[in-house]
Amino acid sequence: MSRFGKTSGASGGWLGRSSGADTGAGMDEAMFEDELDNGSVAQTTESVVLEEELPDNYEPTQEEILEYAKWLGMDLENDKDLFWIAREGLKAPLPENWKPCKTGEDEIYYFNFATGESVWDHPCDEYYRNLYAEEQEKKKKKAEDKTTGKKEKKEKKEKKEK
């Protein structure tokens, strides 16, 4: 899922991430050609290059945070304390040389103009998925340590009573 709504054919979601995504502002027409190893052009598709203009005071809506948290794999009931990751991820700007692009079928992808790499997911999404996994693991370990500590206290108390 991209922050502009792509991949599984789902519509909506994170449209505020690019000023060009829903307003038409900041768009340039561009042609991208996929070259084969022998230099021939396999397919020419027309894409619109969007400019990401994220205002300094941009705050994602609660609905956007919940949607992105769910997409990251969060349990919406048990991981509320980790929603800051989703919020931070939605506010993350694109890395240098990356631009959002829209296909002729209105699907959003991201293109790195320095390397030629293109991806369907926002280039920062993997970082936030990994951050969530790390924080979830810390939370799990902390809960286990707390449980283990309670068991040890109980065992010590029982030994003293005997």
Side-chain angles (χ1 to χ4, degrees):
M1 158 122 12
S2 83
R3 294 194 167 109
F4 292 90
K6 197 279 154 208
T7 65
S8 61
S11 61
W14 308 301
L15 287 173
R17 294 282 294 162
S18 171
S19 64
D22 56 1
T23 66
M27 287 192 243
D28 295 317
E29 290 292 327
M31 295 292 287
F32 293 98
E33 297 177 344
D34 297 328
E35 289 188 28
L36 300 174
D37 290 339
N38 65 6
S40 65
V41 177
Q43 178 181 4
T44 303
T45 56
E46 193 171 319
S47 291
V48 177
V49 178
L50 307 172
E51 289 296 322
E52 181 182 54
E53 294 178 12
L54 199 58
D56 291 338
N57 62 349
Y58 169 71
E59 284 298 326
T61 66
Q62 188 64 25
E63 183 180 330
E64 290 171 326
I65 291 170
L66 291 173
E67 185 177 350
Y68 190 52
K70 185 176 180 178
W71 184 81
L72 288 171
M74 291 187 192
D75 179 310
L76 299 184
E77 290 299 316
N78 297 320
D79 289 331
K80 290 179 181 179
D81 59 324
L82 300 178
F83 283 1
W84 62 270
I85 296 169
R87 182 181 166 278
E88 185 179 300
L90 289 169
K91 293 180 69 152
L94 283 168
E96 187 176 1
N97 298 315
W98 285 92
K99 296 275 186 185
C101 300
K102 183 167 56 170
T103 69
E105 292 82 33
D106 290 334
E107 295 179 308
I108 301 298
Y109 66 97
Y110 300 89
F111 187 79
N112 185 317
F113 283 86
T115 66
E117 179 184 6
S118 64
V119 295
W120 288 114
D121 293 335
H122 190 285
C124 295
D125 284 346
E126 185 176 349
Y127 170 80
Y128 288 100
R129 262 187 249 126
N130 291 336
L131 180 60
Y132 165 63
E134 290 169 13
E135 292 296 322
Q136 187 181 39
E137 191 60 36
K138 286 180 192 175
K139 188 169 124 174
K140 185 178 175 182
K141 182 162 176 33
K142 189 175 180 179
E144 288 171 358
D145 290 348
K146 194 173 184 180
T147 302
T148 302
K150 285 182 182 179
K151 286 181 184 176
E152 289 173 356
K153 278 186 178 180
K154 186 177 178 181
E155 288 171 1
K156 284 182 183 179
K157 185 177 178 181
E158 288 173 356
K159 280 185 181 180
K160 282 185 181 180
E161 291 175 357
K162 289 181 180 183

